[in-house]
Amino acid sequence: MPTPGAKPKFYLTTPIYYTNGLPHIGHTYSTIVCDVIRRYKRMCGFDVVMTTGTDEHGVNVERSARAAGVPEADYVNRMASEWRKIWDDFGIQGDEFIRTTEPQHARTVQWLFKKCRENGYVYKGHYTGQYCVFDNAFVNDAKPGDPCPDCGRPTETITEENYFFKLSSFQDRLLKYYDEHPEFIQPEARRNEVLSFVQGGLRDLSITRTSIRWGIPVPDESPHVFYVWFDALTAYLSAVGGPDFDRRGYWPADLHLVGKEIIRFHAVYWPAFLMAADLPVPKQIWAHGWLLMDSAKMSKSKGNVVRPRPIVNVMGMDALRYYLLRETVFGQDGNFSYDALVTRFNADLANGLGNLASRTLTMIEKYCGSQIPQHAGDEAETALRANAESAISAANTNYTQYSFSLALEAIWNLITRVDELITSQKPWSLAEQKLQTQLNSVLYSAAEALRIATILAYPVIPASTEKIWKQLGQTGPLREQGIDALKWGQLKPSTRIAKSEPVFPRIEKTDAIERMEAMEQEANKPAAPAPTPQTTSASAVAGGSPAATGTAAAAAPAAGPVKIGIDDFMKVELRVGQIQTAERVAGADKLLKLNVDIGTEVRQIVAGIATVYEPEKLVGRKVIVVANLAPRKLRGVESNGMIVAASIEAENRPILAGFLEDVPVGTRLK
Ligand code: MSP
């Protein structure tokens, strides 16, 4: 029973992320959206808990740990702390971080299993099927040799003794639940997809494995361990008390935010597991779309991932948050582009909100002695107040419906209205004409509308709005304001404002994109040995993502030299190539576009060597090419490989590797 007068609770979750890689901006998007909702719900007076965490069991982790030459536990410890650190650094860490290797989680999974078994929904049987190791899922209706329909990788035939969950018994109950709770699965398109999946009939689900070691043991049933989805989904419950969830009072979850590819696990399996154990079912599952890179889902295996850190280092976290929420219609796929990111920043943040804050505050400093002026409640103020009130109402409605781009559009419409007021009323000429009452009213109205826009934009751009809040002379942090602070007229005349400092300095596009791409390439390099004062390391200086080679060093966080086996080394196809043509890439100081003959074909490769090599001097030169990298675009130009170079790090200077003897084009290095 909630205590009378206590804040209503709101529990929301990100998916828990696999630890066989580090976050790209697709994962970052999920976590950012959750953080935006958390901040908005807090503003609305909820007692919010947001959880995130890591999904650490399964074959993929076993493989990655083996490739990194470390025990699984060490591997996941390292990876989980990297994930935590990244979310911490970005200010989007959940209130709880749950790891599936924690004892509290193992206890919850075992307890849930016991309850399902006691209620007669679990039995032992044999299962033979085609299994996609990458997706950790059996592929229904696949025949031996069929590829996985989701990722295209070959499936494996697996037969083993498993515990089965009687999912088939839940078809009617689930359909009834969806019918009675139309809001349960969102958006509508996903709801329809799930409905037709369940209407098509449900097959029992294998929930344990004997072929995997790295998992939570089924009590007294060695060598059975829980299969990833029974294990992973239960993390949502473990994070808020597990078997004791009642004590904390956050279960059932109000919102599971997930990517569209995992909606079925959340909207079918998860409620069925909970129903089988007589536990309350979450209130809503919301599936967002994918961030696409060149129209394809961003993923490590395709080598087209964009990492968040270079963007945050160059543009700031709020720039990334704003761009992702403004450009992508929540629930649909969205395209990522560096160009659009910088354009949005300059148009909406630098020229829009940033410029409004700086011109309003500068004029208050100049014409009103740095104090918020008295207002007259005249016609101009009444009109702007009406604009502000409709922006407040539209933003609140859209935030509540998770239509973030529309919420932001409403806020930025208000910013445009304030700009128009300033342009039409010309405070500088009112000052010249000594029309102080009119001048005060315009500046009060502009500052009050700015205050309101700042509160409304806070959930999306928290760090920058906190700064504007301080500049407006407001006391106490903005994050502690509730939505009642949105009422017009709360800006107190005579409040002393702070000196205006630019919150979003304009960013030069070409330079910013080059810096982000260079950092991205640098971050994707295999981990280097511990640095010495002047380190020289072999590196690849061209396009293509080294992460795509799947080397252990690329996947694991840097923690000293990582040993790889000869098999791993042999996966990298190094060949002698000869440069046929070389030209500069327009708008990119460091890049050259090369055509390189590698014996079997001529490859277009984009290399970051333009600061050291003149293109015309490279023609005819023999180089070493990493020939089996996934293609990748750099500044819009496709690159199909990498050129190997020594990188003198202190000087940031790549030196091409080559041979003293003449070696035929196409020869493999091994
Ligand atoms: N471990 C499972 C989830 C278990 S939840 C009980 C998993 N992990 S994941 O690391 O592969 O992906 C987690 C989430 O990352 C996806 O649901 C999705 O939200 C997000 N994304 C991964 N790639 C993405 C894009 N390219 N774009 C947007 N989000 C994507 O699945």
Side-chain angles (χ1 to χ4, degrees):
M1 271 298 273
T3 330
K7 288 180 177 178
K9 289 183 165 30
F10 191 89
Y11 174 32
L12 80 165
T13 63
T14 75
I16 51 165
Y17 301 101
Y18 288 132
T19 43
N20 54 332
L22 290 173
H24 56 62
I25 56 164
H27 307 114
T28 313
Y29 176 60
S30 287
T31 315
I32 287 177
V33 170
C34 241
D35 181 67
V36 171
I37 299 173
R38 160 171 62 173
R39 289 175 196 269
Y40 179 70
K41 287 285 172 191
R42 283 204 177 130
M43 249 170 83
C44 294
F46 286 87
D47 163 9
V48 186
V49 164
M50 162 180 156
T51 61
T52 187
T54 37
D55 189 353
E56 304 183 7
H57 290 126
V59 179
N60 284 328
V61 166
E62 275 181 10
R63 287 186 178 167
S64 300
R66 201 176 318 125
V70 293
E72 286 92 350
D74 293 358
Y75 178 81
V76 294
N77 284 344
R78 252 160 60 177
M79 294 303 272
S81 64
E82 283 282 312
W83 279 84
R84 266 186 115 115
K85 177 159 176 13
I86 289 173
W87 297 155
D88 269 337
D89 290 351
F90 292 172
I92 52 178
Q93 184 60 268
D95 305 294
E96 304 283 345
F97 188 96
I98 184 79
R99 298 183 52 188
T100 55
T101 49
E102 285 172 45
Q104 164 201 355
H105 173 68
R107 268 198 308 279
T108 310
V109 173
Q110 291 166 343
W111 167 79
L112 183 68
F113 174 78
K114 226 171 117 232
K115 284 178 85 79
C116 293
R117 186 159 59 176
E118 279 164 9
N119 287 346
Y121 292 111
V122 165
Y123 64 94
K124 214 181 225 179
H126 281 89
Y127 188 83
T128 300
Q130 291 307 116
Y131 187 75
C132 173
V133 171
F134 185 78
D135 293 339
N136 283 317
F138 276 103
V139 179
N140 284 343
D141 306 323
K143 294 181 297 302
D146 281 356
C148 166
D150 288 333
C151 69
R153 289 180 170 75
T155 55
E156 292 174 15
T157 308
I158 291 188
T159 299
E160 53 173 43
E161 185 189 68
N162 286 175
Y163 273 103
F164 280 79
F165 176 79
K166 282 193 192 166
L167 188 63
S168 56
S169 308
F170 287 87
Q171 183 179 13
D172 292 343
R173 273 178 80 178
L174 285 170
L175 289 172
K176 185 163 178 279
Y177 189 81
Y178 303 149
D179 191 45
E180 287 168 356
H181 301 87
E183 73 298 339
F184 179 59
I185 305 165
Q186 291 294 322
E188 201 57 24
R190 300 290 154 232
R191 177 178 148 79
N192 294 337
E193 187 184 298
V194 172
L195 278 181
S196 58
F197 173 75
V198 177
Q199 279 156 353
L202 294 173
R203 287 168 37 169
D204 290 350
L205 200 69
S206 138
I207 55 166
T208 68
R209 289 281 178 278
T210 49
S211 53
I212 303 174
R213 260 184 332 101
W214 183 242
I216 297 172
V218 178
D220 309 320
E221 290 289 350
S222 177
H224 284 269
V225 298
F226 288 100
Y227 160 62
V228 286
W229 283 103
F230 194 85
D231 169 351
L233 289 160
T234 308
Y236 297 135
L237 194 50
S238 329
V240 287
D244 289 333
F245 66 88
D246 258 347
R247 208 151 37 86
R248 290 193 56 192
Y250 289 98
W251 193 261
D254 292 273
L255 175 65
H256 290 318
L257 191 84
V258 300
K260 65 179 182 182
E261 78 282 16
I262 54 174
I263 183 79
R264 201 186 286 174
F265 304 110
H266 285 77
V268 182
Y269 297 3
W270 184 222
F273 296 157
L274 292 164
M275 285 171 181
D278 299 320
L279 292 169
V281 168
K283 294 183 193 154
Q284 191 168 57
I285 321 281
W286 235 104
H288 64 71
W290 289 337
L291 283 187
L292 307 176
M293 191 67 186
D294 304 323
S295 307
K297 183 183 180 227
M298 216 172 276
S299 77
K300 205 171 78 177
S301 55
K302 290 202 199 91
N304 64 350
V305 297
V306 174
R307 302 281 168 189
R309 243 189 230 289
I311 299 174
V312 173
N313 288 351
V314 173
M315 308 280 306
M317 185 60 182
D318 280 0
L320 178 62
R321 293 171 70 109
Y322 180 79
Y323 166 75
L324 292 177
L325 276 100
R326 180 71 183 80
E327 291 262 321
T328 309
V329 175
F330 190 59
Q332 295 178 17
D333 292 348
N335 242 312
F336 176 82
S337 109
Y338 286 117
D339 200 292
L341 167 72
V342 185
T343 303
R344 266 286 169 207
F345 177 89
N346 282 333
D348 294 7
L349 297 178
N351 291 353
L353 179 59
N355 187 43
L356 174 66
S358 113
R359 70 200 295 218
T360 306
L361 292 164
T362 309
M363 286 190 286
I364 292 178
E365 186 185 324
K366 195 162 164 197
Y367 305 130
C368 310
S370 293
Q371 289 189 7
I372 300 292
Q374 294 295 333
H375 56 123
D378 60 5
E379 210 178 300
E381 182 179 336
T382 313
L384 198 57
R385 176 183 181 151
N387 293 143
E389 281 163 358
S390 60
I392 294 167
S393 147
N396 276 328
T397 308
N398 286 304
Y399 271 133
T400 308
Q401 295 169 353
Y402 309 139
S403 300
F404 305 105
S405 53
L406 293 179
L408 292 170
E409 199 176 298
I411 304 166
W412 260 255
N413 278 339
L414 174 62
I415 291 169
T416 309
R417 297 287 91 78
V418 192
D419 275 334
E420 285 167 0
L421 176 80
I422 295 175
T423 312
S424 68
Q425 298 286 317
K426 300 189 182 54
W428 47 94
S429 72
L430 295 175
E432 252 171 36
Q433 297 167 61
K434 309 234 175 319
L435 296 171
Q436 192 65 36
T437 313
Q438 217 176 319
L439 172 65
N440 284 352
S441 180
V442 172
L443 291 182
Y444 179 87
S445 307
E448 175 60 346
L450 172 66
R451 187 189 69 88
I452 287 172
T454 301
I455 303 171
L456 286 175
Y458 163 79
V460 178
I461 46 170
S464 339
T465 47
E466 285 283 6
K467 286 187 195 155
I468 300 175
W469 186 251
K470 293 250 145 47
Q471 293 183 7
L472 274 167
Q474 303 304 294
T475 47
L478 174 53
R479 64 171 182 278
E480 285 171 10
Q481 299 301 312
I483 47 167
D484 42 359
L486 287 167
K487 248 176 91 104
W488 183 272
Q490 293 182 58
L491 185 60
K492 286 200 188 64
S494 304
T495 304
R496 179 156 285 280
I497 59 161
K499 183 120 197 83
S500 155
E501 304 275 354
V503 178
F504 304 108
R506 248 188 102 75
I507 290 182
E508 206 281 305
K509 191 191 273 182
T510 310
D511 173 64
I513 297 179
E514 260 181 48
R515 279 161 58 211
M516 287 187 276
E517 285 184 345
M519 282 185 209
E520 173 77 39
Q521 279 196 38
E522 189 63 30
N524 277 332
K525 275 186 190 169
T532 50
Q534 167 131 345
T535 312
T536 306
S537 60
S539 65
V541 289
S545 160
T549 60
T551 57
V562 174
K563 302 269 190 293
I564 59 166
I566 188 74
D567 291 352
D568 279 323
F569 175 71
M570 288 308 289
K571 284 185 203 153
V572 184
E573 190 187 322
L574 296 169
R575 292 204 179 270
V576 177
Q578 187 164 33
I579 299 176
Q580 292 193 330
T581 63
E583 59 184 278
R584 293 189 184 276
V585 174
D589 292 350
K590 299 196 180 89
L591 299 182
L592 291 185
K593 183 170 89 176
L594 311 170
N595 275 317
V596 185
D597 181 359
I598 58 163
T600 47
E601 61 184 297
V602 176
R603 287 281 182 86
Q604 176 172 297
I605 297 178
V606 180
I609 53 174
T611 50
V612 180
Y613 295 95
E614 292 297 329
E616 48 287 2
K617 296 209 177 120
L618 285 173
V619 175
R621 180 158 178 166
K622 286 191 174 165
V623 287
I624 300 171
V625 174
V626 184
N628 61 338
L629 277 179
R632 167 149 208 216
K633 279 199 176 153
L634 285 165
R635 301 309 295 273
V637 184
E638 183 157 307
S639 183
N640 292 292
M642 284 189 176
I643 311 280
V644 175
S647 167
I648 304 180
E649 279 162 17
E651 298 166 27
N652 196 12
R653 198 153 63 91
I655 305 293
L656 292 177
F659 297 94
L660 292 175
E661 290 83 5
D662 193 30
V663 185
V665 168
T667 308
R668 179 151 186 198
L669 279 76
K670 46 190 171 179

